[in-house]
Amino acid sequence: APPSPLPARRRGLPRPPRARDAARRASAMNLGNLLRQAMSQGPGGEGWQATNMLEQAEQGQFPALLVGLMNELGTEGQDPDVRQFAGLRLKNMFASRAQEQVARFKQRWHQVDSATRATVHQGLLQVLASPERKARRAAAQVIAAIASLGIELWPDLISVLSNTMLQAHASPQHKCAAIEAMGFIAEGLPEESVTEERVNCILTAIVAALEPGQPEELKFAAITAMRNSLEFTEQNFQREPERNKIMEVICASMSAQHQRTREVAFECAATVAGIYYETLPPYVMHLFNLTTRSIKQDHPDVGKQAVEFWSTVCEMEIRNEEALAEGQPDVVHYEIAKQACQALVPFLLNTLTLQDPAKETGDDDGSWDISMAGGACLTLLARAVRDAVVPFVVPFIKTHIADATNWRHREAAAMALGCIMDGPSPAAMQPIVVASVEVMVSMLQDPTNAVKDTSAWTIGCICQHHSDSLAPHQIERLVAALLASLHDQSPAVANRSCFALFNLAHAIGTREPAETNGLSRYTEAMVTTLLATAARPDSDEQNLRASAHEAANAVIEGSAQDVSTFVEQVLLELLNRLEATLPPPGAQAQLPEGASQLQLDLCSSVYVCVLKLDSIEPVADRIMGAVMRVLSLPSASTHVEAFLIAGAVADKRKERFLDYMGAFRPFLVGALRNVEQDHVCQTAVGVVTDVARALDGAIAPFCDELVGSLLQLLSSQRLHRSVKPPVLSAFADIALALNGGFTRYNRAVLDILISAAKHTRIDDNADEDMVDYINQLREAIIEAFTGVLNALKEDNKQHEIVAYLQGMWEFVAVTARDEENRAPEVTRVIIGLIGDLASCYGTHVGQLLREPFVGDIIREAETMAQADPSDERFRGTLMWTMHIVTECTRGM
C-alpha cells in the first residue's frame, strides 16, 4: 500500500486560510486611513494612491480585505462616512451590472474559505443592529449583493432576517434594517434562487412590519420590500386568503402618514396590475376610490403614482385586446378601463391643469410631474377604450380652450385634444379634427410658451393619426402656420413645430416613386425653412437642430420626382455645411464643442438625399471625400452615418464605386476590427454587403482582407452578439459577388457556419430575448448557406462543399422541427434553403427530403402564404421549392 500522505504542514504546503489569519493581514493594511484617503477622490494625490492600493489588495488579498472592510463597517464610534464607504467598497466587490464580472465575482466568493465567509456573514448581521443609519443601510446593501451571487452559501439568511422582524426585543432600527435588507435581496435575487419558502419568509416579515402601530420608517422599508418582492409572489396570489392579505396591507399603506410610504404603495398597486391583472376585479372599486382620492387631494408626487396604476391597467388591456385580436387563447380581459372611464376621466383632466409653474415661460426642465402623468394616462385610456373616451373629454376641451384668463386651462385643453388622437376611430374624431384646426393654428400665436408648445404637439398628433380628415385648404393652413412657428423665439416651440411638420410630411408624402404628390407644393418651403431653423444660433437648445434635420429628412424621403432638382440643390447646400465643419485635409483634428453632433445631423440629411436621388454623379467625388474626412475624426456616432452614406453611394454608382475603394478600404477594414464600438462595426458590416452587391466580381481583390476581417470578428470574445447575425449574412453577398471564385473561402466560412449552426438549439429555460437572438442567428445562417450554394452552383462547383451537406441538413432539421420557437421570418428563408439544397444535389438528397419534417414545414408555409397573399415573393419561393422537392423524391 502507498504510504499515507504527510500532513499539509509537513509537506511545506500553505495551510488553508483562516478567518483569524485574514483578520491579522487586514489589520496590517491600516484600512481606516486608506479609506479616508480614498474618499478624497481626484486625479493623482493620496486619494488615487489609496484607491489603487485597495484595488491591489482586492486582487491579491481578497479574504483579508473582506474581513478588514467588514471590521471598518462594524466599528462603532467610527466616522459614519468611513463606515459607509467601507460598505460601498464591500458591495462593489460582489455587485456589477456586467454579467461577465458577476460570474467572476461569484467564482471568487465561492473560493473563499467557509470560516472567512462566516465571519463576514455574522459581521454584516451584527451591523444591521448598529445605531448608525448609514452603517445599517450599507450592511443591508452588502448582504443583498452577496445573496445575489448565490444564497445557497448563506442558506439561513432569509429566515434570520425574518426572525429579526418578529423578535420583540429587536429595536425598531434593527427591524427596519432587516426589512430593508430583504427588500434589497428581493430586488437582485436570481430567479433560480427564489423558492416558495423564502418568499413566504419575506412576506411574513413584510406583513408584520405593515401592521397598524408599527413605526412609519419601518412601514416605508416594508412597503418598499413588498414592491421589490411582488414579482416572486405568484403562488401567493393564487391563494385567495394570502392575496387578500397582501392587497389589504398595500391598500392600507396608501393612507400611511409618510408621503414616501404612500407613493410606494401606489407603485405596488401598479406592479400588481401589471403582473397579476387577472386577480384585480375584487379590488378594483376600493383601488378606484383610493387612487382618485389621492389624485385629487394628496401631494402631487403621490397622485402621480396613483395615476400610474391606471396607466398600467390601460397598458395591460391594450395588450390583452391585441392578443385576443391575434386569436391567442386564455387571455383574460375585464375591460376595467372602459368601466371606469366616465368616472376616471374628470380626475385625469384635472391633473392636466396642474402644470409646473415654470412651464408658463418654457423654463421647466421637463421633469415628470402629475400633469404629464395624467396626459400619458389619458393617451393610454383613449387607446384602451377608443370611441368611449371622446364624449367625456370633448366638453372639457370646449370649455377650457378659449379661456383667455387662464393659460393653464388653454394648455390643458390642447393637451387633452392631442391625448385622444390615438385610439378613437376616424368617424368619431373627424368632426373634432375639422373644427380644431383653426383653433390650434391661432393658439400657435398664444402669448404663453406652454400653450404654443402643446398646440404644436397636438397638431403633430392630428397629422400623425387623422391626416385623412384634413381638407387640402386645412393642410395649406397648417403648413403656413407651422413654418411661421419655426421662427418662434422659444427653441422648445420651434422643436414641437418640427415634430408636427415631420408627421405632416409622413402623412401626405409617399415612400414609393411618384411623379408628384401632395407634398410637392410644400417641399421647397418646408425644407428651406427647416434647414434655416437648424442653423439658428440657439439650435443646440431643446434638441432643435436634430429635430429640424429629422423633419427635413422626412420631407425629402416623402418627396416626388418633380422636386428632384430641388433635392439636388439641397444636397449641395448640405455638403457645403458639412465641409465647413471639417478640418482641412492633413490638419490636426481639433473640433469645437458640439461639432460632432452638427456633423451627425448633416450626415443624416446627406444620406437621405443620396438615397432619394436617381443619380449623384456630379457630386459623388465630393460626397466620398467628405465621408472619408468624417471617418478620419474620432466621433463614433458620426462614423455610423458616414458609413451609411458610403453604402448608399455604392448602391448608386455600382461598379464605379471601385474608384474609391483604394482610399476607402482602410476605413472600412478598421471599422470591421473595431469590436469596442459595436454600432460602428455593425454598420461597416452592412457596407460590406452594399459594396459586394455594387462591385460584383470586381470586389475580388479586396476579399481576402474583408473575409478575413469578418472571420476575425466572429472569433472575438468581445464582440457584441448583435453584430454576429449581420456578419454571417454578409458571407452570402460576398459569395454571390464572386460565384465560383468563393471556393477559396469555402472551408473557413463553412466551418464557422456549421459551428454557429450547432449553437442554435433553444433551451426550455431560454428567455424571450434569447429566443429572438437565436432566430436572428438562424435566419442569418440560412441566408449564408443559401448565398454560398447559389454562388457555387452558378459555376457548377456546388459539389466542392458536399462534405458540409450533413451539417447543413442537421441544422435544417433542428430548425424546422422547432415549431414552438421558430420565427415566421426563419420559416420563409428555410423554405428557400430546402429548395436550394434540392436544386443543387437533386436525387442525392432525395431520401433526406422524404423526412417527415420537410412535409410538415411545407404545409406550415402553405398556411402562412394563404394568410398573407400579398407576399408574392414568398409564395413564388414556396411553389418552386414544392416543385423541386417533388422532382427529387419522385419514385423513391
Side-chain angles (χ1 to χ4, degrees):
S4 300
L6 291 173
R9 190 165 40 187
R10 290 181 59 191
R11 294 203 310 271
L13 298 178
R15 291 180 298 168
R18 289 288 184 264
R20 195 175 303 162
D21 301 329
R24 279 199 293 268
R25 290 196 298 273
S27 178
M29 292 181 188
N30 196 6
L31 271 177
N33 288 337
L34 277 180
L35 292 170
R36 290 183 184 87
Q37 294 168 9
M39 288 169 64
S40 58
Q41 284 292 346
E46 289 186 346
W48 178 86
Q49 293 175 5
T51 299
N52 190 43
M53 290 180 66
L54 288 170
E55 291 173 352
Q56 289 179 1
E58 182 178 347
Q59 296 300 318
Q61 297 175 283
F62 180 65
L65 183 62
L66 279 177
V67 176
L69 290 172
M70 182 61 257
N71 289 338
E72 295 296 328
L73 175 61
T75 302
E76 299 297 344
Q78 171 82 279
D79 181 347
D81 290 333
V82 173
R83 296 179 71 181
Q84 183 181 44
F85 189 67
L88 176 64
R89 295 293 309 189
L90 267 174
K91 180 176 77 79
N92 290 341
M93 292 160 67
F94 294 97
S96 173
R97 293 182 179 180
Q99 290 303 311
E100 299 83 359
Q101 184 80 313
V102 170
R104 288 193 291 270
F105 285 171
K106 185 173 184 178
Q107 181 181 21
R108 183 175 67 178
W109 177 236
H110 280 236
Q111 290 172 347
V112 172
D113 65 283
S114 59
T116 299
R117 285 202 303 268
T119 298
V120 173
H121 290 169
Q122 190 60 35
L124 289 169
L125 291 173
Q126 290 174 356
V127 178
L128 292 181
S130 170
E132 174 50 53
R133 165 68 174 146
K134 289 182 177 180
R136 295 197 306 271
R137 184 173 178 83
Q141 292 173 331
V142 178
I143 287 171
I146 291 175
S148 71
L149 296 185
I151 203 168
E152 66 275 4
L153 292 182
W154 202 345
D156 63 343
L157 172 60
I158 300 295
S159 61
V160 169
L161 294 172
S162 182
N163 289 336
T164 299
M165 175 58 225
L166 302 176
Q167 289 171 358
H169 66 271
S171 68
Q173 294 87 351
H174 191 185
K175 292 181 178 182
C176 189
I179 290 289
E180 195 169 41
M182 284 191 280
F184 290 144
I185 290 169
E187 191 173 22
L189 196 64
E191 190 173 348
E192 61 270 17
S193 297
V194 177
T195 65
E196 189 171 359
E197 180 183 0
R198 286 171 181 152
V199 172
N200 289 339
C201 249
I202 293 174
L203 285 178
T204 299
I206 290 173
V207 169
L210 290 172
E211 292 293 344
Q214 296 285 14
E216 288 298 319
E217 192 67 23
L218 179 58
K219 287 184 177 181
F220 172 68
I223 198 66
T224 303
M226 175 70 82
R227 179 195 61 194
N228 296 342
S229 305
L230 282 170
E231 182 181 352
F232 304 127
T233 58
E234 181 178 0
Q235 297 299 319
N236 307 87
F237 264 80
Q238 289 177 0
R239 295 187 284 266
E240 185 177 357
E242 295 179 35
R243 180 174 70 243
N244 288 341
K245 189 61 180 178
I246 292 171
M247 294 304 296
E248 176 188 326
V249 296
I250 289 174
C251 290
S253 299
M254 294 175 183
S255 302
Q257 181 180 343
H258 281 198
Q259 175 188 321
R260 294 183 305 164
T261 303
R262 299 196 300 274
E263 288 180 39
V264 179
F266 283 112
E267 289 180 33
C268 288
T271 302
V272 170
I275 302 178
Y276 308 114
Y277 168 85
E278 67 279 1
T279 69
L280 281 182
Y283 316 106
V284 166
M285 185 56 68
H286 190 37
L287 286 168
F288 177 85
N289 292 331
L290 289 167
T291 53
T292 53
R293 183 193 67 183
S294 179
I295 293 168
K296 183 179 180 180
Q297 300 176 356
D298 210 333
H299 188 282
D301 287 344
V302 182
K304 179 173 61 179
Q305 295 304 328
V307 169
E308 290 297 331
F309 167 77
W310 288 104
S311 293
T312 305
V313 170
C314 292
E315 287 176 338
M316 292 302 299
E317 299 200 333
I318 291 166
R319 189 183 310 167
N320 292 343
E321 191 171 345
E322 291 172 351
L324 288 171
E326 293 171 0
Q328 295 184 22
D330 303 325
V331 175
V332 176
H333 185 45
Y334 294 124
E335 295 189 336
I336 295 171
K338 183 172 289 187
Q339 296 174 48
C341 181
Q342 183 174 1
L344 179 63
V345 164
F347 292 96
L348 297 179
L349 293 174
N350 185 62
T351 67
L352 302 185
T353 67
L354 304 177
Q355 306 94 326
D356 184 335
K359 197 171 183 180
E360 180 177 7
T361 57
D363 295 329
D364 65 307
D365 59 4
S367 57
W368 191 255
D369 61 17
I370 192 168
S371 70
M372 298 175 71
C377 186
L378 183 58
T379 300
L380 290 166
L381 184 64
R383 291 179 56 198
V385 307
R386 303 184 184 277
D387 290 0
V389 78
V390 176
F392 307 124
V393 177
V394 170
F396 176 89
I397 297 171
K398 290 180 177 179
T399 301
H400 291 81
I401 204 158
D403 187 347
T405 64
N406 192 327
W407 72 267
R408 294 180 183 277
H409 286 179
R410 298 194 303 277
E411 196 271 343
M415 175 66 74
L417 178 61
C419 288
I420 63 170
M421 284 296 146
D422 184 12
S425 66
M429 293 303 297
Q430 195 267 347
I432 300 169
V433 168
V434 170
S436 66
V437 169
E438 282 302 320
V439 179
M440 287 294 103
V441 165
S442 66
M443 291 177 73
L444 290 175
Q445 303 299 319
D446 194 276
T448 305
N449 280 340
V451 177
K452 291 186 288 186
D453 185 308
T454 301
S455 298
W457 173 78
T458 298
I459 291 172
C461 294
I462 292 172
C463 295
Q464 183 177 8
H465 300 292
H466 294 281
S467 61
D468 290 343
S469 297
L470 298 172
H473 73 277
Q474 290 180 311
I475 292 175
E476 184 174 1
R477 188 84 171 93
L478 287 176
V479 171
L482 291 169
L483 292 181
S485 186
L486 291 177
H487 298 289
D488 195 279
Q489 291 183 349
S490 166
V493 173
N495 179 50
R496 293 293 193 189
S497 300
C498 291
F499 163 77
L501 288 166
F502 176 92
N503 286 338
L504 184 60
H506 274 287
I508 64 177
T510 51
R511 307 275 82 79
E512 299 299 323
E515 284 295 326
T516 189
N517 62 28
L519 194 57
S520 292
R521 62 182 299 191
Y522 308 115
T523 298
E524 185 169 349
M526 290 172 74
V527 174
T528 301
T529 310
L530 285 164
L531 291 182
T533 301
R536 280 174 50 157
D538 59 356
S539 64
D540 58 342
E541 299 178 29
Q542 299 290 326
N543 202 37
L544 177 56
R545 183 176 57 236
S547 296
H549 275 280
E550 288 174 8
N553 294 350
V555 177
I556 293 168
E557 286 175 348
S559 65
Q561 293 177 0
D562 56 356
V563 295
S564 59
T565 300
F566 172 71
V567 176
E568 291 173 357
Q569 296 169 2
V570 171
L571 178 56
L572 289 173
E573 171 62 20
L574 292 168
L575 285 173
N576 290 337
R577 294 189 186 189
L578 178 59
E579 289 167 343
T581 70
L582 299 171
Q588 188 174 2
Q590 290 184 341
L591 297 177
E593 184 178 356
S596 293
Q597 184 59 47
L598 173 58
Q599 291 167 353
L600 175 65
D601 296 332
L602 290 167
C603 283
S604 71
S605 295
V606 169
Y607 172 64
V608 170
C609 289
V610 172
L611 286 179
K612 192 66 183 179
L613 293 170
D614 292 332
S615 173
I616 56 167
E617 282 309 303
V619 290
D621 290 353
R622 277 187 70 187
I623 294 171
M624 285 304 298
V627 162
M628 287 185 275
R629 288 169 66 186
V630 169
L631 292 174
S632 300
L633 301 174
S635 173
S637 57
T638 311
H639 289 183
V640 169
E641 293 295 332
F643 276 120
L644 289 174
I645 295 171
V649 171
D651 180 63
K652 297 296 179 183
R653 295 210 82 201
K654 303 302 180 190
E655 67 279 354
R656 287 170 294 175
F657 191 78
L658 189 63
D659 297 344
Y660 309 120
M661 279 301 291
F664 179 64
R665 178 196 56 78
F667 295 108
L668 182 58
V669 172
L672 291 175
R673 295 172 179 171
N674 186 3
V675 295
E676 304 300 334
Q677 295 172 327
D678 51 277
H679 293 302
V680 176
C681 186
Q682 185 166 342
T683 307
V685 172
V687 175
V688 171
T689 66
D690 293 330
V691 171
R693 294 171 185 174
L695 297 185
D696 208 36
I699 198 176
F702 309 99
C703 279
D704 283 357
E705 193 169 24
L706 293 177
V707 172
S709 297
L710 293 174
L711 292 170
Q712 187 176 354
L713 263 182
L714 292 172
S715 65
S716 172
Q717 296 298 315
R718 295 174 296 155
L719 181 68
H720 193 275
R721 72 181 192 182
S722 63
V723 184
K724 293 183 179 181
V727 172
L728 295 171
S729 295
F731 290 127
D733 293 286
I734 294 173
L736 291 170
L738 298 178
N739 288 332
F742 190 77
T743 53
R744 65 186 288 118
Y745 310 114
N746 279 350
R747 181 173 180 180
V749 171
L750 286 166
D751 279 348
I752 207 160
L753 288 175
I754 295 295
S755 176
K758 291 177 180 178
H759 291 86
T760 59
R761 290 180 182 270
I762 298 178
D763 297 332
D764 292 339
N765 59 351
D767 59 24
E768 187 175 340
D769 287 342
M770 179 56 70
V771 172
D772 289 343
Y773 173 66
I774 294 296
N775 275 314
Q776 292 172 26
L777 269 183
R778 288 170 168 176
E779 187 176 2
I781 293 167
I782 292 167
E783 289 174 353
F785 281 146
T786 299
V788 172
L789 285 168
N790 281 283
L792 297 180
K793 187 186 177 190
E794 189 70 21
D795 288 343
N796 200 28
K797 294 185 176 182
Q798 67 270 30
H799 294 288
E800 294 189 18
I801 61 168
V802 72
Y804 295 95
L805 180 58
Q806 181 178 352
M808 282 191 273
W809 191 254
E810 288 175 357
F811 164 71
V812 168
V814 169
T815 304
R817 289 177 177 133
D818 187 12
E819 296 180 27
E820 180 180 355
N821 297 304
R822 177 174 18 88
E825 296 78 11
V826 175
T827 304
R828 288 184 172 89
V829 292
I830 204 170
I831 287 294
L833 177 57
I834 291 171
D836 289 323
L837 288 167
S839 175
C840 285
Y841 299 109
T843 56
H844 293 291
V845 294
Q847 198 61 42
L848 297 176
L849 293 170
R850 292 182 62 84
E851 291 192 45
F853 76 81
V854 176
D856 292 341
I857 196 169
I858 286 177
R859 284 187 290 273
E860 181 182 338
E862 286 184 284
T863 302
M864 288 175 56
Q866 291 168 3
D868 184 12
S870 63
D871 193 347
E872 296 181 2
R873 182 176 180 181
F874 175 56
R875 181 180 291 272
T877 300
L878 174 60
M879 298 303 294
W880 172 77
T881 295
M882 292 171 65
H883 171 74
I884 197 73
V885 167
T886 301
E887 289 294 317
C888 292
T889 58
R890 190 185 303 277
M892 298 187 69

